[in-house]
């Protein structure tokens, strides 16, 4: 069995300092990775909600001014179609420490980001509505590992250069 022994000397004081900083650095890398991942999820979900054309039925409805407007709904399984923007505006995320993060409707604090009552029925479906999984579709598309790798590379460039 081979053993490696490192003794503190003037050559490796910098190495010891970097090793001592590692636990807090790991926490910061994870936190930065979560921030990047959550931002990418929100961006992808917004892009898909606003993407046109959708594959569902076409409706004609009146807007606030009384003008007749055409609205193309989403098909089951597609990201929901944006009609008023209330559900899309309630989309948010929050990072808790370095271990967990939340992404969904009404997550951010404040009344402006409050989730509408129908958010669960749209995302998960109900007896009368088939699901339009906007959040799930965003999570499927966005790769998690890229954002944590970027955070680690950013830390390495900042710390070990």
């Amino acid at each position: 069995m081979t053993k490696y022994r490192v003794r503190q000397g003037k050559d490796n004081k910098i190495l010891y300092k970097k090793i001592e900083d590692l636990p807090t650095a790991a926490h910061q890398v994870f936190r930065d990775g979560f921030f990047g991942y959550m931002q990418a999820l929100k961006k992808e979900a917004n892009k898909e909600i606003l993407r046109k054309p959708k594959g569902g039925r076409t409706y004609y409805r009146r807007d606030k001014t009384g003008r007749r407007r055409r609205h193309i709904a989403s098909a089951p399984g597609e990201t929901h179609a944006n009609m008023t923007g209330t559900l899309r505006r309630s989309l948010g995320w929050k990072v808790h420490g370095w271990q967990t993060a939340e992404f969904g409707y009404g997550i951010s604090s404040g009344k402006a980001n409050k989730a509408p009552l129908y958010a669960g029925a749209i995302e998960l479906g109900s007896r009368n509505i088939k699901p339009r999984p906007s959040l799930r579709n965003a999570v499927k598309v966005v790769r998690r590992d890229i954002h944590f790798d970027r955070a680690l590379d950013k830390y390495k460039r900042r710390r070990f250069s």
Side-chain angles (χ1 to χ4, degrees):
M1 181 163 89
T2 308
K3 289 185 178 181
Y4 294 96
R5 182 174 291 181
V6 179
R7 292 187 183 161
Q8 189 167 357
K10 65 180 182 180
D11 297 339
N12 55 11
K13 282 185 182 179
I14 296 169
L15 178 64
Y16 273 104
K17 179 64 180 153
K18 289 178 182 178
I19 290 172
E20 287 172 4
D21 290 345
L22 201 55
T24 56
H27 293 186
Q28 188 60 45
V29 167
F30 276 108
R31 191 168 169 80
D32 289 349
F34 274 127
F35 269 96
Y37 182 49
M38 294 295 121
Q39 286 174 338
L41 284 174
K42 184 172 180 180
K43 184 177 179 181
E44 179 64 29
N46 277 324
K47 184 179 88 175
E48 281 300 309
I49 291 168
L50 296 174
R51 183 184 56 80
K52 292 182 179 177
K54 299 289 184 179
R57 292 178 49 187
T58 301
Y59 296 92
Y60 290 92
R61 62 180 193 87
R62 301 228 179 247
D63 63 6
K64 291 179 183 178
T65 62
R67 289 182 59 195
R68 194 168 173 236
R69 299 278 184 173
R70 184 177 74 153
H71 173 73
I72 302 173
S74 59
E78 274 186 334
T79 300
H80 75 272
N82 194 40
M83 187 180 284
T84 63
T86 306
L87 188 58
R88 186 177 67 85
R89 281 191 305 272
S90 73
L91 190 63
W93 55 272
K94 195 181 268 188
V95 176
H96 303 283
W98 63 277
Q99 294 178 323
T100 58
E102 290 179 290
F103 170 65
Y105 299 114
I107 299 294
S108 298
S109 59
K111 290 184 180 179
N113 292 345
K114 187 177 178 188
L117 296 174
Y118 56 85
I122 296 292
E123 183 70 25
L124 304 172
S126 70
R127 178 175 69 195
N128 300 324
I129 303 170
K130 293 206 163 111
R132 269 66 174 180
S134 307
L135 304 176
R136 196 173 332 139
N137 290 345
V139 170
K140 282 181 189 175
V141 171
V142 178
R143 288 188 44 208
R144 197 172 330 146
D145 57 336
I146 291 173
H147 303 285
F148 289 96
D149 288 346
R150 282 183 190 157
L152 185 59
D153 290 343
K154 179 181 167 186
Y155 172 77
K156 282 193 240 177
R157 280 193 310 270
R158 201 174 359 145
R159 196 72 176 146
F160 295 111
S161 297

